[in-house]
Amino acid sequence: MSFSYTFTHAICRRPGAAATKGLRAVDTGTPDTDLFLEHHADYIAALQSTGAHVTELAADEAFPDGCFVEDAALCLPELAVIMRPGAPTRLGEAALMKPVLEGLYANVAEITRGHIEGGDILVTEREILIGSSDRTDAQGVENLREIVTPHGYSIRMVQTPPGVLHFKTDCSLLDARTILATKRLAASGCFEGYDVIHVADGEEACANTIRFNNLVIMPAGFPKTRAILEAAGYDIREVGNSEAAKLDGGMSCLSLRFSPPAA
Ligand code: CIR
């Protein structure tokens, strides 16, 4: 069983009316909250279709970006770690996630120094890759290293490309040895030792997909990359992402994916 892409559980949070005020690097329009909710329901249905149990948390209007739950925590088989988001408006999302994870994990640790957001963390079968970014700094990474090293994990700090929100904006794990990545990120050499599949030119916005059990869940509307992934043997499910994309969000951001330790 591969702990890096095989999961029994996921946690999502519904986007609220405040999503219209979510952070974005470039304003490409205000998200339509009804359509966002429709896409969100499709996303949850895709996760559930693999047999996973999905907890859907209620929207919290105090946090316009609260539906991007991935940034608030890191869930590993042995423990959960509450992150410390680098975006000031998102800091409180971590505290909101803590009691939820305490209900599922006996061991919930917390980042207390620097900043780190889950979107910058790619957990593979052999290591944890973390991209430094505007949201994730060396102090936060060192703090996470101290927490997870005793559990046998090794952390490798790499660089999120300039102008890219998160490391995983540009890459995804496809299986134990394969990563989907943009050419600009793969060119940095950070995936040496892995097999890399490049997203098609012009389709960089679909690099943020997720492998979730038997499925690769990708944003709708990237036919060339879909064809590449299908030819490589992956079972693809597309989910509409037009509204989350207006807030720089994608498939990984919308869930925490994990298998809690047996009680
Ligand atoms: C933000 O800027 O923080 C949100 N609008 C988008 C967060 C996306 N999360 C992710 O890539 N993990």
Side-chain angles (χ1 to χ4, degrees):
M1 279 274 269
S2 303
F3 76 92
S4 58
Y5 62 91
T6 306
F7 308 103
T8 57
H9 286 63
I11 295 174
C12 300
R13 185 184 296 285
R14 278 163 76 88
T20 54
K21 302 191 202 85
L23 297 173
R24 61 206 85 174
V26 177
D27 199 349
T28 59
T30 303
D32 173 326
T33 48
D34 289 337
L35 185 55
F36 201 165
L37 277 171
E38 254 179 59
H39 290 164
H40 198 255
D42 292 344
Y43 178 81
I44 288 176
L47 298 176
Q48 286 170 331
S49 75
T50 71
H53 178 274
V54 181
T55 301
E56 190 180 1
L57 303 172
D60 187 320
E61 299 299 348
F63 296 102
D65 288 295
C67 64
F68 302 119
V69 286
E70 172 181 70
D71 295 318
L74 172 67
C75 294
L76 295 168
E78 304 82 1
L79 80 165
V81 186
I82 303 299
M83 297 287 108
R84 196 155 184 266
T89 57
R90 304 201 58 195
L91 203 52
E93 291 175 31
L96 213 58
M97 192 53 76
K98 195 176 170 195
V100 179
L101 289 173
E102 281 173 342
L104 290 154
Y105 281 87
N107 187 355
V108 178
E110 214 167 335
I111 299 292
T112 53
R113 302 195 312 274
H115 293 101
I116 182 162
E117 295 191 358
D120 281 315
I121 305 175
L122 182 74
V123 177
T124 80
E125 212 61 19
R126 63 181 92 148
E127 62 183 339
I128 301 178
L129 281 159
I130 310 183
S132 61
S133 71
D134 287 351
R135 304 286 183 85
T136 293
D137 58 28
Q139 252 198 321
V141 175
E142 282 318 304
N143 198 169
L144 183 63
R145 197 193 298 275
E146 289 162 14
I147 293 169
V148 302
T149 301
H151 295 276
Y153 295 98
S154 71
I155 282 185
R156 181 154 62 94
M157 193 168 173
V158 294
Q159 181 84 51
T160 298
V164 173
L165 174 61
H166 286 128
F167 185 60
K168 277 189 299 191
T169 305
D170 267 30
C171 66
S172 316
L173 187 78
L174 290 173
D175 58 42
R177 50 179 301 136
T178 316
I179 286 171
L180 176 70
T182 60
K183 286 182 183 165
R184 69 185 164 202
L185 177 57
S188 73
C190 65
F191 299 129
E192 210 175 306
Y194 293 91
D195 294 337
V196 175
I197 296 179
H198 290 133
V199 299
D201 289 338
E203 292 193 350
E204 287 73 15
C206 74
N208 183 271
T209 67
I210 50 169
R211 174 72 191 271
F212 190 81
N213 298 325
N214 57 311
L215 291 180
V216 170
I217 304 176
M218 65 180 291
F222 299 93
K224 292 187 208 148
T225 305
R226 177 179 180 144
I228 292 168
L229 292 174
E230 280 179 333
Y234 295 103
D235 189 356
I236 306 296
R237 179 75 59 87
E238 285 191 16
V239 174
N241 191 55
S242 57
E243 306 318 292
K246 290 173 184 166
L247 303 177
D248 306 326
M251 296 293 106
S252 77
C253 327
L254 292 169
S255 58
L256 284 169
R257 303 164 293 281
F258 58 103
S259 303

